[in-house]
Amino acid sequence: MTDQAFVTLATTDSYAKGVMVLGKSLRNHNTSRKLVALIGPHVSETSRAVLHKLYDEVRLVDVLDSGDTAHLALMKRPDLGVTFTKLHCWSLTHYSKCVFMDADTLVLANVDELFDREELSAAPDPGWPDCFNSGVFVFRPSEDTYSKLLQYCTEHGSFDGGDQGVLNSFFRGWATEDIGKHLPFIYNMSSIALYTYLPAFKQYGSNAKVVHFLGKTKPWSYTYDPKKRALKGSVEEASSHPSFLLEWWSIYSSCVVPMLHHEHGDQPFYSGCAGSSGCDEETLPPLVPAALPAPPLSSAERKQRWEQGQADYMGIDAFANIEKKLTAFLKRW
């Protein structure tokens, strides 16, 4: 399938690490499609050299920035403005159909069947299911669509300041017109959803094919000890299931870091792996077991999570605990 491709994007060296792991995970699961990486001018020559080994095509693109500080402030994510650069993927007209995947996704199984879907196919966003999450979507490159998207951005902007807002507005029929364009959640399983609806994760999580590390803290934000298979970093920042983070780091440490070392030569660099020749041990945060439980929530925090539909159904908010509380309350009367 030489005219079909998986496409991703990196605008910095940090996100390039994610793109490297994504590419390797697609290769590990024997994709038959081409791999394309769009990169911004700030991606270093070292990262570019590694990407050329993992991807069939590495294309330099201009960085588009929404400049929408007001909407980005609502999300507390000023870094998302440059995600507009993702719109360049519609300019890849030498491909008939593509699947875009964010740099912070990890493939857990072969997903070539996604190419059976039509534009614009995507999975619902866990925060607002009538919107699709733009971390994984099927599209058809087209100069006409590309120019219309850029024009739409100029005239209307984005309701969230990033690419997801403008794409949902542009492809506004996604929620209601064709259910066949709704990808199952297993193709874009957002890591934060594991905590908002844990019973579903326990029921269906083993079928997941793509995990998406949503949130400000990305897998490459941690440090990894390959010998202990343990993460270093702040537990408060953790928004992803430890097993998926460890799988990401297993690929990065065993496959990507050696390539980065080779391209870097004698120049030291921070690989993120404890004990590697490029890791400055003095800068590492303290070792924290990946499965360490979070501190107990205050009553106000619990109330807020309930109101947001994020009750801990398998823990403190389990029915058995609620029943005990009610029984104790009634006994007082």
Side-chain angles (χ1 to χ4, degrees), residues 15 72-81 214-218:
Y15 276 83
L72 292 169
L74 287 175
M75 299 178 68
K76 300 180 180 178
R77 293 293 302 279
D79 54 307
L80 289 181
L214 281 178
K216 191 172 184 178
T217 305
K218 302 301 182 185

Side-chain angles (χ1 to χ4, degrees), residues 70 99 177 256 269 311 328:
V99 174
E177 290 179 0
V256 174
F269 79 102

Side-chain angles (χ1 to χ4, degrees), residues 13-14 16-18 20-21 46-47 50 218-226 231-232 248-262 264-265 267-281 283-285:
D13 275 344
S14 293
K17 292 179 181 179
M20 293 170 196
V21 172
T46 296
S47 293
V50 174
K218 302 301 182 185
W220 53 86
S221 303
Y222 299 89
T223 301
Y224 176 66
D225 187 330
L231 296 167
K232 296 170 184 257
W248 189 96
W249 272 98
S250 177
I251 295 174
Y252 176 72
S253 63
S254 63
C255 303
V256 174
V257 169
M259 288 192 284
L260 286 168
H261 272 301
H262 180 266
H264 243 272
Q267 296 298 315
F269 79 102
Y270 183 74
S271 70
C273 292
S276 71
S277 60
C279 186
D280 182 0
E281 294 288 350
T283 68
L284 299 182

Side-chain angles (χ1 to χ4, degrees), residues 17-38:
K17 292 179 181 179
V19 167
M20 293 170 196
V21 172
L22 171 61
K24 185 61 179 172
S25 69
L26 283 163
R27 298 285 189 200
N28 287 349
H29 293 291
N30 303 313
T31 180
S32 61
R33 269 58 174 192
K34 296 284 189 180
L35 303 188
V36 178
L38 304 179

Side-chain angles (χ1 to χ4, degrees), residues 24 51 61 68 78 126-127 141 187 207-208 218 228 230 233 237 248 254 330:
K24 185 61 179 172
L51 290 172
V61 295
D68 192 345
Y187 290 104
N207 299 322
K218 302 301 182 185
K228 296 180 180 179
E237 295 177 345
W248 189 96
S254 63
L330 292 172

Side-chain angles (χ1 to χ4, degrees), residues 133-155:
N133 182 277
S134 60
V136 178
F137 60 84
V138 183
F139 70 100
R140 286 190 177 275
S142 160
E143 286 293 348
D144 182 57
T145 305
Y146 181 49
S147 61
K148 286 179 179 177
L149 274 166
L150 294 180
Q151 182 179 353
Y152 187 92
C153 291
T154 302
E155 295 176 356

